[in-house]
């Protein structure tokens, strides 16, 4: 049980919180911590475990979010269907990035992923007839489980917790399984991995596709929870950076790292928003300055991330 | 039938002819050395056999199956293992995990692969380093790890690129012993070696390359006395 | 067809400014092997410098160029010493996230200090138009082009003929050999970084009278500069110049044919296509991209 210690603390606290806490603001923060942690974990599948660092994952988040909004408003379909449709579309789109990952390395790959998400941003913000363009599009609130409309934040906490646990377990599986070791080999040295018979090209595509589908699922949940989809937010480079950020600060390539990172940065963000939001909207940027500096320091000083640094939690026994 | 058959391999890099109609066979159970001065085309040949380079002409067959055109991982899964001259351990993984990646090729169960990897580490004398990170090893130990990783894929043919290159003198006898032990255990080996003393100690047969061409192929004693081979090496010594 | 001269000249004018942004980026990559993801933020800082100098002390943007050169040089040296020096030998991912972190921090420093409002500079010649036959151009655009080209040419000459320029190129070719010859690689990198930052900072000053100034203003230009630089071959300065013209042509012709709304899609698609077909750039050597250099 020790190797799950940190995760037990985080998820246990999240599960118990709604029993004691009734404050909507705190519950909202908790939901966001879980959701952002889950998104970073999804990014971590490709960026951390397979070493395919993408700064274009907002593309898949946006596809998931727009699926919820468009299927809901245009065809009155359930978000659960949107979730599946979004995941399928994202998987298809991720094949482009997966293909690129087999042609490009290092900064070239990163640039390509950015360009990819920017194309989707432009399409979503300019295709007025279909997406309502840059105005964004509201996601209808329809009460009920089938329509994912919960007035009660507690339900959302448990839903977010469920998805977070799923991602945690997927990552744990990636650490101890055959495919996990093979991915680690690809990340460390692709040629050497191939020489040992690892089908690296296919594995990378699979990892990126899985990561994309999971990111899309979170995008659908997020859109349904927040209730509005703005193309300049859901497809933004900032968002892609954010997914990577929590994973790197918490501990890249570790199962608990993304959640640990999310607890830290989402809490800081919420705190600063609550503190300074009323005084001057500009001051909200402070948390992003802190993130930027934190990122610079962490990759240089403790590349294994805070989770690895604090408790040696990052290594499997 | 021969295990490996290299037929008419030609490879050009720009204007440089790295391999020119290289042909030779390796029979099951042999230990064949590939020698030649720097730039003779030994490493290019290895990269072609293992699928990292594509030849401009010629083909490589292994157990009758065509390797040319396959990707490196496919070649490996058909039973051809290799080591790299420029050592490439998975730095961020432990020694045991490095070898497990090899073992997991044939064995789908992680627990069994771990046990297998431990056995192989025992064989190559790295058992006490199993939980150390690969990046902490010395060059000699890295050579052993490279070999262990390749062995873990249970290859029927193993290509070793410069086993003793860059290793301090004291570690060489141990590595030679290891290669011989692997051969005795039933593996077929194709070994690139720069150091003539090492190759004459281990190889039964030698293929000598010079400027991309095979200039001699035969029993070790004969090839080392071959005039063209001696000239090739001397020529290099004087330039 | 009478629009062709106008399109042609627009392309050249736009390309000249893109070139100055791209040349700094490609210089840093060529010598240091680092893709600077914070490049756009220095452009933004250049725009703000011009804006504040104009608003507070009514200083003309073209006059601001003079103090801007030493200021950005110092800013470059400072960021190199504080941020880049420690990661110059690190892996690509570490370098990428370091510059991404720098970008995030600088962008939000601007946001906190100066809010997210769009700001504009309106010098007296703001709406002065120069006519030449059937074509018409804003005078700021022409001035920006002229200064950008002069600066780019100076940089070319510097890299080609000056001793320091040769030392920089030697270091890029072979870091170890250069250090054996007594070249201090660290100083070369610091200098390279600072020069790259000066280029983009000046481009920012030049762009300020033409585009709105806001904290994320750098992003659109820098995305474009990535396209340019990959097109020309990362690290290739002449390639960057040609790439700038191509991207400017795509932008000008694209907005003429499809309207301004869709022009960006065109060059991003061009970007992805180039990455797929000739990742080393139209003029670069094949293979560089998958070696990860």
């Amino acid at each position: 049980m020790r190797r799950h210690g940190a995760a037990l603390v985080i998820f246990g606290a999240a599960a118990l919180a709604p029993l004691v806490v009734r404050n909507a603001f705190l519950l909202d923060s908790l939901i966001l911590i879980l959701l952002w942690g889950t998104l970073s974990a999804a990014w971590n599948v490709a960026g951390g475990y397979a070493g395919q660092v993408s700064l274009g994952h907002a593309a898949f988040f946006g596809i998931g979010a727009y699926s919820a909004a468009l299927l809901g408003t245009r065809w009155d379909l359930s978000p659960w269907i949107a979730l599946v449709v979004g995941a399928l579309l994202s998987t298809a789109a991720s094949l482009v990035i997966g293909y690129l990952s087999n042609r490009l390395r290092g900064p070239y790959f990163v640039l390509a992923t950015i360009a990819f998400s920017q194309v989707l941003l432009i399409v979503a913000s300019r295709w007025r007839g279909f997406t309502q363009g840059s105005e964004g599009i509201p996601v209808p609130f329809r009460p009920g489980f089938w329509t994912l409309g919960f007035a009660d934040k507690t339900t959302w906490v448990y839903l977010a917790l469920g998805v977070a646990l799923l991602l945690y377990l997927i990552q744990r599986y990636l650490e101890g399984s055959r495919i996990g070791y093979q991915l680690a080999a690809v990340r460390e040295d692709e040629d050497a991995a191939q020489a040992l018979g690892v089908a690296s090209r296919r594995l990378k595509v699979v990892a990126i596709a899985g990561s994309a589908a999971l990111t899309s699922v979170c995008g659908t949940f997020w859109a349904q929870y927040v209730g509005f989809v703005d193309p300049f937010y859901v497809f933004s480079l900032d968002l892609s950076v954010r997914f990577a950020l929590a994973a790197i600060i918490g501990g890249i390539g570790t199962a608990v790292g993304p959640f640990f990172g999310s607890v830290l940065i989402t809490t800081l963000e919420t705190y600063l928003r609550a503190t300074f939001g009323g005084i001057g909207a500009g001051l909200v940027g402070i948390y992003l300055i802190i993130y930027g500096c934190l990122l610079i320091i962490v990759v240089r000083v403790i590349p294994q991330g805070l989770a690895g640094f604090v408790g040696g939690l990052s290594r499997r026994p | 039938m021969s295990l490996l058959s290299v037929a008419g391999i030609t490879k050009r890099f720009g204007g440089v002819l790295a391999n020119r109609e290289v042909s030779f066979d390796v029979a099951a159970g042999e230990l064949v050395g590939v020698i030649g001065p720097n730039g003779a085309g030994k490493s290019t040949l290895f990269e072609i056999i293992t699928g990292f380079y594509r030849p401009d002409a010629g083909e490589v067959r292994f157990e009758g199956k065509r390797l040319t055109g396959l990707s490196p991982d496919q070649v490996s899964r058909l039973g051809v293992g290799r080591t790299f001259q420029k050592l490439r351990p998975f730095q961020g993984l432990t020694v045991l995990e490095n070898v497990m990646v090899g073992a997991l090729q044939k064995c789908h169960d992680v627990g069994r692969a771990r046990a297998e990897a431990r056995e192989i580490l025992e064989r190559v004398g790295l058992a006490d380093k199993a939980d150390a990170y690969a990046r902490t090893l010395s060059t000699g130990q890295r050579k052993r790890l490279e070999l262990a990783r390749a062995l873990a894929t249970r290859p029927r043919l193993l290509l070793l690129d410069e086993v003793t290159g860059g290793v301090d003198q004291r570690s060489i006898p141990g590595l030679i012993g290891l290669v011989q032990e692997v051969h005795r255990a039933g593996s077929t080996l194709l070994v690139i070696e720069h150091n003539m003393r090492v190759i004459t100690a281990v190889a039964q047969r030698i293929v000598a390359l010079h400027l991309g061409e095979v200039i001699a192929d035969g029993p070790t004693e004969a090839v080392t006395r071959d005039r063209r081979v001696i000239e090739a090496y001397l020529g290099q010594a004087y330039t | 067809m009478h629009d062709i001269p106008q399109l042609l000249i627009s392309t050249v004018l736009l390309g000249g400014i893109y070139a100055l942004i791209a040349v700094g980026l490609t210089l840093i990559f060529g010598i240091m092997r680092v893709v600077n993801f914070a490049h756009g933020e220095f452009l933004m800082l250049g725009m703000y410098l011009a804006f504040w100098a104009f608003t507070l002390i009514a200083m003309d943007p073209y006059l601001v160029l003079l103090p801007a050169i030493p200021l950005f040089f110092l800013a470059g040296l400072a960021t190199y010493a504080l941020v880049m020096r420690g990661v110059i030998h690190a892996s690509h991912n570490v370098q990428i996230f370091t510059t991404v972190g720098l970008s995030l921090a600088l962008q939000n420093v601007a946001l906190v200090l100066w809010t997210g409002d769009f700001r504009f500079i309106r010098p007296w010649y703001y709406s002065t138009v120069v006519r030449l036959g059937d074509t018409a151009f804003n005078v700021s655009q022409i001035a920006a082009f002229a200064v950008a080209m002069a600066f780019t040419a100076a940089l070319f000459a510097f890299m080609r003929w000056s001793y320091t320029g040769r030392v920089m190129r030697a270091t890029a070719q072979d870091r170890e050999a250069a250090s054996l010859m007594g070249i201090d690689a660290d100083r070369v990198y610091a200098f390279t970084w600072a020069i790259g930052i000066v280029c983009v900072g000046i481009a920012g000053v030049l762009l300020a009278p033409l585009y709105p100034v806001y904290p994320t203003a750098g992003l659109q230009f820098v995305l474009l500069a990535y396209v340019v630089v990959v097109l020309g071959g990362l690290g290739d300065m002449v390639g960057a110049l040609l790439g700038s013209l191509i991207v400017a042509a795509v932008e000008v012709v694209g907005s003429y044919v499809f309207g301004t709304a869709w022009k960006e899609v065109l060059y991003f698609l061009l970007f992805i296509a180039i990455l797929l077909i000739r990742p080393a750039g139209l003029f670069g050597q094949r293979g560089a991209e998958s070696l990860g250099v």
Side-chain angles (χ1 to χ4, degrees), chain C residues 156-243:
Chain C
F156 269 88
F158 173 78
M159 288 305 291
R160 192 148 196 97
W161 291 300
S162 77
Y163 176 73
T164 315
R166 281 194 220 138
V167 165
M168 285 162 75
R169 283 186 291 145
T171 312
Q173 294 251 313
D174 192 334
R175 198 182 277 180
E176 273 169 44
S179 73
L180 283 176
M181 282 153 46
I183 293 172
D184 183 350
D186 185 59
R187 277 182 61 190
V188 169
Y189 294 144
F191 189 72
T192 304
W193 179 265
I195 294 276
I197 299 304
V198 168
C199 288
V200 71
I202 285 190
V205 173
L206 292 171
L207 287 171
L210 294 164
Y211 296 91
V213 182
Y214 55 98
T216 51
L219 184 67
Q220 51 165 327
F221 293 106
V222 84
L223 285 173
L224 224 137
Y226 293 143
V227 181
V228 166
V229 162
V230 168
L231 207 60
L234 262 170
D236 180 341
M237 297 201 20
V238 181
L241 211 57
L242 294 171

Side-chain angles (χ1 to χ4, degrees), chain A residues 43 51 53 55 96 99-100 103-108 110-112 114-116 118-119 122-123 126-127 237-238 241 244-245 248 282-286 288-289 291-293 295-296 299-300 303, chain C residues 29 35 37 82-83 86-87 92-94 96-98 100-102 104-105 107-109 111-112 219 223 226 230 234 260-262 264-265 268-269 271-272 275-277 279 288-290 292-293:
Chain A
W43 179 88
V53 167
L55 287 181
V96 176
Y99 178 73
L100 286 166
R103 309 240 346 173
L104 308 168
R105 290 186 186 176
Y108 289 91
V110 176
L111 289 174
I114 293 176
F116 178 75
Q118 288 292 316
V119 169
I122 296 163
V123 171
R126 303 282 158 78
W127 192 0
L237 179 57
D238 283 355
V241 171
L245 191 74
I248 293 169
L283 286 175
V284 173
I286 287 176
L288 288 164
I289 301 176
Y291 291 175
C293 298
L295 186 58
I296 294 171
V299 293
R300 177 147 144 212
Chain C
F29 185 83
V35 173
F37 283 91
L82 287 172
V83 179
V87 297
H92 284 307
N93 288 348
V94 168
I96 288 166
F97 284 113
T98 301
V100 166
L102 182 62
L104 205 57
Q107 226 176 66
N108 290 286
V109 166
L111 179 71
V112 170
L219 184 67
L223 285 173
Y226 293 143
V230 168
L234 262 170
T260 48
W262 292 95
E264 288 128 315
V265 172
F268 281 122
L269 290 180
F271 185 49
I272 293 176
L275 281 170
L276 286 176
I277 301 159
E289 72 297 341
S290 54
V293 292

